[in-house]
Amino acid sequence: MATASVAFKSREDHRKQIELEEARKAGLAPAEVDEDGKEINPHIPQYMSSAPWYLNAERPSLKHQRKWKSDPNYTKSWYDRGAKIFQADKYRKGACQNCGAMTHDSKSCMERPRKVGAQWTNKHIAPDEKIETFELDYDGKRDRWNGYDASSYALVIERYEARDNARRKYLKEQQLKKLEEKNNNQNDEDGDGDGDGDGDGDEEDDEDDLRVDEAKVDESKQMDFAKVEKRVRTTGGGSTGTVRNLRIREDTAKYLLNLDVNSAHYDPKTRSMREDPLPDADPNEKFYEGDNQYRNSGQALEFKQLNIHAWEAFDKGQDIHMQAAPSQAELLYKNYKVIKEKLKYQTKDTILERYGNAAAEEELPRELLLGQSEREVEYDRAGRIIKGQELALPRSKYEEDVFINNHTCVWGSWWKDHQWGYKCCKQTIRNSYCTGAAGIEAAEAVNELMKSNIARKGATEEVAAPVEEKRLATWGTDVPDDLELDEKLLAEALKKEDIRKREEKDERKRKYNVRWEDEVTAEDMEAYRMKKVHHDDPMKAFLS
């Protein structure tokens, strides 16, 4: 029950309220009415019917359950297709050069390109289209029926009604035709008859054949022959539903087609007969060839291929299962078929690109490609037209053969060293000025001069003589026999070695700034050898 607000009630009032609710649910008391005068269903639960306290509802209502926020910009209107807003009499500046409408330009014009546009003829100016913009919400953008005119469905109804009328008319004509043939046959026959009831029986059979079977004409009634109301078990405990039985009751049951004991086996539990019960019968006269026929045709083969693909993919390491995720398995199978087809065409294109296609090398003549005409054009010996008009080349709606900066060819008509350029002057700079044949000759002369200078420089360049590296016989290398030492330098080296020895013994005599000399001469090495103390020398005690 929808209550206005939660207030304190005594025990008696609470009991009366409960009794009133029970009476309303049983239909003994009238239902509660909201602010708009609508009845409130008494079976609505309290947590849905009771309004929140902050709404301060004075009367019972279900308004708090309805959508109360509305978008002011939302609209259900749609584009007014084909609507025109203004028809101009002459061309306006900024309008379409083709049709003269202000709502679009010449590139986006949907009208057939005119031979001479409306900008120059100032005639047949097209009206301006009505351009609208709508702000749709989330559901409005995804509504596939948005803007659909329901009245257009009347055309579909009319088409089907016309088909039914044509069918009835055809059946009626066939009936009248058979009646006329019957009357003509009766007039041609003699009046003598056998007198028995065979003639009457034949007439009744003919009348039955001529009578239009309404059940066959009305196909909509035949569609309901397979609907059977029966109990269907579901997860929720069972519900009454419609089960479609695809077998017509007038047809012979499959287990009665062949009563031989050794014929095809019939399983009564699953109602299946996999083999053909009449294998020797005419295939054109049989309407049932066993359940295996359906398993090996139609969508059953696709389902089988899908299962095989799922098994093979699972064996190769993919996480796919036909029963656990059938949608995923079907999507992967579709992607597999697309990739396989693409790879097939890619292999074919690769082979054609490498070896060529002899069937497609032979080009068709231009007359067959562009059609033939009876127009006659006569030329003189110099190639000038004497009679007739030359065939004009078709031009597109975009700019063509526009030459800039005195060029006679368009940009991109020449290619050299991976660069585009102009064919007329062989320049690769887009905004360059055309220099013509003189520029081509100058460029070639510059290239020849550069090549000759490079060749001359390479011929006159002197090769530097190799510098012999001076190696000192020091640092433990073998002293050659022909080494000559300077006596003065050797004496100085011996004095330096004595000073170095004294500095090593007394750290106080060591100078603060130590200068290291990386270069060691042969005299320094000889002084080091002479002053070196050998441990195995028997006179080493006297040296100190």
Side-chain angles (χ1 to χ4, degrees), residues 281-454:
D282 188 6
N284 299 324
E285 298 179 358
K286 291 190 297 184
F287 68 93
Y288 180 75
E289 297 180 0
D291 296 340
N292 288 337
Q293 178 196 8
Y294 305 112
R295 289 191 176 93
N296 298 327
S297 61
Q299 295 182 350
L301 288 176
E302 298 180 4
F303 185 73
K304 188 184 297 182
Q305 294 294 335
L306 178 59
N307 281 325
I308 294 174
H309 174 263
W311 297 336
E312 293 178 351
F314 183 78
D315 293 339
K316 292 179 181 178
Q318 292 189 10
D319 188 9
I320 178 176
H321 198 277
M322 187 60 193
Q323 281 71 33
S327 301
Q328 179 191 8
E330 187 173 0
L331 180 61
L332 290 176
Y333 182 58
K334 287 183 179 179
N335 295 338
Y336 165 75
K337 291 196 294 185
V338 171
I339 295 173
K340 182 179 179 182
E341 194 71 20
K342 189 182 297 183
L343 183 62
K344 177 182 176 182
Y345 283 106
Q346 185 178 358
T347 306
K348 180 180 178 182
D349 295 340
T350 305
I351 295 173
L352 292 178
E353 184 179 357
R354 174 173 294 183
Y355 301 104
N357 188 2
E361 288 179 357
E362 197 173 331
E363 296 184 357
L364 295 175
R366 189 179 181 87
E367 292 79 9
L368 296 179
L369 290 174
L370 303 179
Q372 299 178 354
S373 64
E374 300 295 334
R375 181 171 49 190
E376 183 181 356
V377 181
E378 186 177 351
Y379 298 88
D380 58 0
R381 293 185 177 182
R384 295 184 294 269
I385 298 177
I386 299 176
K387 182 180 179 182
Q389 187 177 3
E390 190 176 4
L391 182 63
L393 296 176
R395 299 177 63 88
S396 66
K397 64 191 298 184
Y398 301 98
E399 295 180 348
E400 293 183 4
D401 299 335
V402 178
F403 308 116
I404 60 174
N405 296 337
N406 203 27
H407 288 284
T408 57
C409 297
V410 296
W411 169 260
S413 58
W414 189 62
W415 169 267
K416 185 178 181 182
D417 296 336
H418 303 282
Q419 288 183 341
W420 293 105
Y422 294 98
K423 187 178 180 181
C424 53
C425 57
K426 296 185 178 180
Q427 295 193 53
T428 58
I429 301 175
R430 180 70 179 271
N431 296 324
S432 62
Y433 194 82
C434 184
T435 56
I440 298 175
E441 295 176 359
E444 292 178 353
V446 169
N447 291 334
E448 293 294 335
L449 181 61
M450 186 182 299
K451 291 179 181 178
S452 61
N453 291 336
I454 293 173

Side-chain angles (χ1 to χ4, degrees), residues 481-542:
D481 298 335
D482 56 348
L483 180 63
E484 296 181 359
L485 299 176
D486 192 354
E487 297 294 336
K488 293 182 179 180
L489 295 178
L490 181 59
E492 292 178 0
L494 290 172
K495 291 180 181 179
K496 290 180 181 180
E497 187 66 22
D498 293 336
I499 296 171
R500 189 180 66 81
K501 290 280 187 180
R502 288 195 298 269
E503 288 178 356
E504 287 181 356
K505 291 180 179 180
D506 191 359
E507 289 290 337
R508 293 177 298 178
K509 294 184 178 180
R510 184 179 180 183
K511 296 181 181 180
Y512 180 75
N513 294 326
V514 180
R515 293 181 299 175
W516 296 93
E517 294 182 0
D518 297 334
E519 185 176 358
V520 180
T521 61
E523 290 78 4
D524 295 338
M525 198 66 192
E526 184 65 23
Y528 173 76
R529 292 194 189 98
M530 293 172 66
K531 294 292 183 179
K532 184 178 180 182
V533 178
H534 297 279
H535 296 282
D536 54 350
D537 189 1
M539 300 297 291
K540 69 178 181 179
F542 298 99

Side-chain angles (χ1 to χ4, degrees), residues 82-265:
K84 310 297 181 181
I85 55 175
F86 179 71
Q87 175 67 52
D89 297 333
K90 59 181 181 179
Y91 181 79
R92 296 158 291 176
K93 185 178 180 181
C96 176
Q97 299 178 0
N98 185 41
C99 66
M102 287 290 294
T103 51
H104 61 268
D105 55 359
S106 59
K107 284 191 176 182
S108 58
C109 183
M110 300 301 294
E111 190 176 335
R112 179 183 59 84
R114 303 181 184 180
K115 186 175 182 180
V116 181
Q119 181 183 7
W120 295 275
T121 59
N122 210 8
K123 295 179 180 179
H124 305 291
I125 304 297
D128 299 341
E129 297 91 352
K130 184 178 181 181
I131 299 178
E132 299 174 291
T133 56
F134 299 110
E135 295 183 5
L136 302 177
D137 58 353
Y138 182 86
D139 295 331
K141 291 178 181 178
R142 290 156 180 80
D143 186 7
R144 60 193 294 261
W145 294 103
N146 199 352
Y148 175 72
D149 187 9
S151 61
S152 62
Y153 192 73
L155 300 175
V156 181
I157 298 175
E158 290 178 1
R159 185 169 69 251
Y160 278 93
E161 288 180 353
R163 188 194 65 178
D164 294 339
N165 293 335
R167 181 183 297 159
R168 294 192 192 96
K169 184 177 179 181
Y170 174 75
L171 292 173
K172 192 173 182 179
E173 290 178 355
Q174 293 294 327
Q175 183 181 8
L176 294 175
K177 186 176 180 180
K178 289 183 179 180
L179 288 173
E180 290 179 358
E181 291 178 356
K182 178 185 175 183
N183 294 331
N184 294 332
N185 292 334
Q186 288 180 353
N187 294 331
D188 294 339
E189 292 179 355
D190 295 332
D192 55 346
D194 297 336
D196 53 2
D198 296 339
D200 297 338
D202 295 339
E203 292 178 359
E204 291 178 359
D205 294 339
D206 294 338
E207 290 178 0
D208 292 339
D209 294 339
L210 293 173
R211 189 181 299 112
V212 179
D213 191 357
E214 296 296 335
K216 292 183 179 179
V217 175
D218 192 1
E219 295 180 355
S220 61
K221 294 181 180 180
Q222 282 193 354
M223 296 301 294
D224 297 333
F225 74 91
K227 289 185 179 180
V228 180
E229 297 291 340
K230 59 187 296 187
R231 196 74 174 174
V232 182
R233 289 186 300 171
T234 61
T235 57
S239 62
T240 303
T242 302
V243 180
R244 187 171 294 276
N245 191 354
L246 299 179
R247 187 176 72 84
I248 304 176
R249 295 302 175 183
E250 287 75 10
D251 292 343
T252 306
K254 61 179 73 173
Y255 55 85
L256 297 178
L257 293 175
N258 191 351
L259 300 179
D260 189 4
V261 181
N262 298 324
S263 63
H265 174 69

